[in-house]
Amino acid sequence: MKAAVCEAFAKPLVVKEMPEPSVGPGEVLIRMKGCGVCHSDLHLVDGDWADWGTPLPIIPGHEVTGVVEKAGEQVAGLKPGDRVGVPWMQYACGVCPACRSGAEMLCAAQKSTGVTVHGGYAEWVKAPAAFTHRIPEGLDLVDAAPLLCAGITVFSPLRRAGNLAGKTVAVAGIGGLGHLGIRMAAAMGAHVVAITRGGDKKDLAHELGAHEVIDSGKEKAGKQLARIGGADLILLTGISAQLFEECIPGLGPNGTLVVLAAIAEAAKVIPAALLTGQKRIEGSVIGTRNDMDAMLTFAADHGIAPIVERHPLSAVNDVLERMRRGKIRLRAVLTP
Ligand SMILES: [Zn+2]
Ligand SMILES: [Zn+2]
């Protein structure tokens, strides 16, 4: 099968023939239809996460959608022809304290698609049926691919926050994650404030469902948010330590800033600024399998499809290079 393979970090991927995966008990073989290109893929390929123990060579890609071709022994509930998605989490042990508490995405023994096991930059992908998700009818298989990471990443903290009707939710950064965050928060009934730098995504933000748009290039985002009463929840999707710092004063009483972007630079926080108003800063990674199924149903019911640009698998290095230079407007999806 054709696959894009990371053979060495900080080198272009090699598009080449690889053996088709053979499915074992409990696994399904999937014909890939779409695989989103997530910023995490860039970190992996560039070697930023080299100490995570990624075995080389590895096929990246953890936003995979496709059609089941073959179900291995002991697979119940999935059959050839089923439309499915394979996300980042491909195994959790089920017995560690994190798993037993219901937070399986924090399992230390987790296997990660495209990071510790082969992922979706390939014509064929195999995955355990237990960590494979049905894609509801009504979602296009190619467009839906980014839901498997970007979608779940923004959905989980929104779902955890409870009833958002009438609450102010700010989404900082309008990219792969942010554009879905705006749509989902709006569909949940929140008053949505989009935060973006410059004016070129202002109209898009309104089309996605934002009720207000803040230009963080004009004045600090937090100041502008505070002026309109502060946010109950801020989803930080932009990879910027400065934006992180700017968001904190924009939290209203009991407000929560959720960090969803892998910002690796240092940022300054004045602890007393959290004390008054009982503000919180928290991190959030993907979600549980239950969150994923709920998100996919929610997306289908509300017509929330990612806005994607499609590229053939063979163009993967161009796509990664454009992402490095910040030239992917929202999300790129590879097709076979
Ligand atoms: Zn991702
Ligand atoms: Zn576990």
Side-chain angles (χ1 to χ4, degrees):
M1 66 169 182
K2 192 164 70 177
V5 187
C6 177
E7 296 185 335
F9 295 126
K11 292 266 164 59
L13 298 183
V14 181
V15 179
K16 59 189 262 193
E17 283 297 316
M18 289 283 280
E20 272 179 27
S22 60
V23 289
E27 294 178 332
V28 288
L29 180 67
I30 297 157
R31 181 189 290 273
M32 187 273 269
K33 294 288 182 190
C35 185
V37 180
C38 176
H39 227 99
S40 305
D41 299 347
L42 202 54
H43 286 298
L44 176 96
V45 170
D46 288 349
D48 299 342
W49 294 347
D51 52 1
W52 279 26
T54 294
L56 295 179
I58 186 97
I59 302 172
H62 57 270
E63 295 185 339
V64 196
T65 52
V67 176
V68 174
E69 176 81 8
K70 189 173 153 189
E73 286 169 37
Q74 297 159 33
V75 170
L78 284 178
K79 59 180 189 318
D82 285 347
R83 293 153 37 94
V84 294
V86 182
W88 174 277
M89 180 170 59
Q90 168 156 162
Y91 169 80
C93 76
V95 294
C96 73
C99 283
R100 290 169 76 106
S101 76
E104 58 186 4
M105 65 288 191
L106 305 182
C107 177
Q110 192 179 134
K111 287 182 189 166
S112 307
T113 311
V115 180
T116 61
V117 292
H118 284 324
Y121 289 11
E123 290 174 297
W124 297 95
V125 183
K126 75 163 180 176
F131 288 83
T132 299
H133 299 265
R134 279 180 185 280
I135 304 294
E137 294 298 327
L139 287 174
D140 179 89
L141 271 185
V142 178
D143 293 345
L147 291 173
L148 276 297
C149 176
I152 187 68
T153 298
V154 292
F155 180 80
S156 296
L158 292 170
R159 190 187 198 204
R160 256 199 323 270
N163 188 346
L164 292 173
K167 292 205 173 163
T168 298
V169 174
V171 179
I174 308 176
L177 273 65
H179 87 285
L180 291 170
I182 293 170
R183 280 189 162 169
M184 289 182 182
M188 290 176 187
H191 179 74
V192 182
V193 184
I195 300 170
T196 179
R197 179 170 282 272
D200 70 318
K201 286 183 178 166
K202 188 177 179 202
D203 290 345
L204 172 69
H206 282 300
E207 283 163 27
L208 291 167
H211 303 97
E212 301 190 49
V213 180
I214 281 176
D215 179 356
S216 61
K218 280 191 179 154
E219 190 188 2
K220 286 183 178 174
K223 268 195 180 168
Q224 299 186 64
L225 265 180
R227 204 178 297 132
I228 57 172
D232 296 295
L233 191 69
I234 302 176
L235 302 184
L236 177 59
T237 73
I239 303 188
S240 159
Q242 189 191 332
L243 186 58
F244 168 85
E245 291 173 2
E246 283 186 20
C247 279
I248 296 166
L251 287 168
N254 280 316
T256 302
L257 171 63
V258 189
V259 179
L260 300 174
I263 301 166
E265 334 155 55
K268 203 162 83 182
V269 180
I270 296 169
L274 303 177
L275 190 76
T276 35
Q278 294 192 170
K279 297 166 182 178
R280 282 180 297 273
I281 299 172
E282 63 176 40
S284 183
V285 282
I286 52 172
T288 64
R289 281 174 285 174
N290 178 268
D291 289 330
M292 184 72 79
D293 290 331
M295 181 275 297
L296 290 167
T297 301
F298 183 82
D301 288 352
H302 293 270
I304 297 172
I307 299 172
V308 308
E309 43 181 275
R310 301 178 180 206
H311 300 280
L313 180 59
S314 55
V316 63
N317 286 308
D318 294 338
V319 173
L320 289 172
E321 182 51 31
R322 283 182 54 225
M323 182 177 260
R324 242 175 237 117
R325 290 188 281 114
K327 298 291 183 201
I328 303 286
R329 187 161 161 84
L330 295 171
R331 200 57 144 202
V333 173
L334 301 173
T335 60

